Amino acid sequence: MASLVWFITGASSGLGQSLALYALSAGHKVIGTVRNTTKSAAAVQAIEGKGGRVLILDVTKADTVVDTVKQAESIYGKIDVLVNNAGYSLLGAIEDFNEQESHLQFETNFFGPLRTIRAVLPGMRANGSGMIVNVSSIAGQNANPSCGLYGASKFALEGLSEALSKEVAPFGVSVLIVEPGAFRTNFLSALQLNERGLSEPYQNGPVRTALDLFHAANGNQKGDPERAVARIFEVVTGEGQAGSLKGKILRLPLGPDCVNRLEVKLKTVSSDLEAAREVALGTDIVDA
Ligand SMILES: NC(=O)c1ccc[n+]([C@@H]2O[C@H](COP(=O)([O-])OP(=O)(O)OC[C@H]3O[C@@H](n4cnc5c(N)ncnc54)[C@H](OP(=O)(O)O)[C@@H]3O)[C@@H](O)[C@H]2O)c1
Ligand SMILES: *[C@@H]1O[C@H](CO)[C@@H](O)[C@H](O)[C@H]1NC(C)=O
Ligand SMILES: *[C@@H]1O[C@H](CO)[C@@H](O)[C@H](O)[C@H]1NC(C)=O
Ligand SMILES: *[C@@H]1O[C@H](CO)[C@@H](O)[C@H](O)[C@H]1NC(C)=O
């Protein structure tokens, strides 16, 4: 297929950087965004070295998003694929989070994508084509202890994406939600613990256990980011091993751990539905 123009947020590391380099190697055009070109000099060099372009963007800075997208559109005349990848995880007990850290989690993982989506849609509509890829998480379907705010931000992103896919289909614009399990990126090193720490009632129990598991998992995640981005690329372009899924799925699960948790989630929903079916069916207004 013809080469596409990709706009990828959070290209300084992990899945974003790998996807940027993968698409460039395949002959596509890529604009990656990073927050700080000094801190991320190695990634900037790698992307530019393969012919890609880098712009500075912090997705929480609302007033900069539209201009950055315009700047990106002016480089190659359009954006074909927006990849909302920038994100991080805030961990802690829900009772312990403060206002500020809760808002920042949503600013990055939810309002950031909302802003970039609104900014690219006029161009995509004008061209009658485009694809928006939102990197969610298995936590966007199945939320575990300590991930209350992270899961909530990804659930919100999935709700928005689901509605968006229906709103923009008439314009020829499609949406893909990517749900990675645990992949070996910088993600678990970049975890942010809530500021006040774990309060006394949570010192032993499910939140503590989950936090310990995350720390133990860092560096041992089974997921290969190179394979993840290859599958994402294929679903977007319709080429290769996963190419036949293009246009057929809204959600792309990635990793055996993701498949397992998704199955557990579906069974829980299904079992609640069956248990409550009679009750649920009996709530209409009864005509006299
Ligand atoms: N790896 C996993 O196991 C896993 C699992 C499920 C979902 N995910 C999702 O995959 C996506 C990518 O994560 P990753 O695994 O590749 O982790 P990563 O290596 O930590 O990369 C995260 C990227 O997001 C950027 N970022 C964070 N806050 C930002 C902000 N306010 N504005 C702009 N960029 C920001 C980071 O930029 P800086 O370098 O400037 O900090 C970095 O480029 C995230 O949305 C994450 O939730 C990952
Ligand atoms: C960018 O990163 C460099 C190196 O880590 C740091 O010294 C500098 O303060 C950062 N700039 C901004 C604007 O955060
Ligand atoms: C649509 O795509 C064409 C090239 O395929 C480009 O010249 C044009 O600028 C694009 N329009 C917008 C609004 O992105
Ligand atoms: C991605 O998420 C954003 C914000 O959460 C939402 O506005 C948009 O509809 C989603 N995009 C797609 C293509 O699902």
Side-chain angles (χ1 to χ4, degrees), residues 97-179:
F97 291 124
N98 67 35
E99 267 307 292
Q100 204 194 351
E101 65 201 5
S102 304
H103 282 240
L104 190 58
Q105 176 76 110
F106 266 76
E107 275 296 323
T108 304
N109 291 7
F110 178 75
F111 288 106
L114 177 59
R115 289 178 187 119
T116 56
I117 279 159
R118 282 180 166 153
V120 302
L121 274 175
M124 289 184 175
R125 276 193 294 99
N127 264 354
S129 73
M131 191 148 182
I132 300 173
V133 179
N134 283 332
V135 180
S136 177
S137 170
I138 179 55
Q141 285 289 331
N142 174 259
N144 279 337
S146 83
C147 296
L149 259 296
Y150 178 69
S153 72
K154 296 293 194 183
F155 268 62
L157 180 62
E158 296 221 358
L160 197 70
S161 301
E162 203 169 293
L164 184 77
S165 71
K166 297 169 188 169
E167 290 186 5
V168 299
F171 305 127
V173 177
S174 65
V175 171
L176 181 70
I177 304 170
V178 181
E179 294 170 341

Side-chain angles (χ1 to χ4, degrees), residues 28-44:
H28 291 229
K29 300 183 169 73
V30 174
I31 302 142
T33 74
V34 305
R35 282 191 287 187
N36 181 330
T37 48
T38 308
K39 186 191 128 205
S40 305
V44 172

Side-chain angles (χ1 to χ4, degrees), residues 73 77-79 122-124 126-127:
E73 285 172 337
K78 61 173 179 169
I79 292 170
M124 289 184 175
N127 264 354

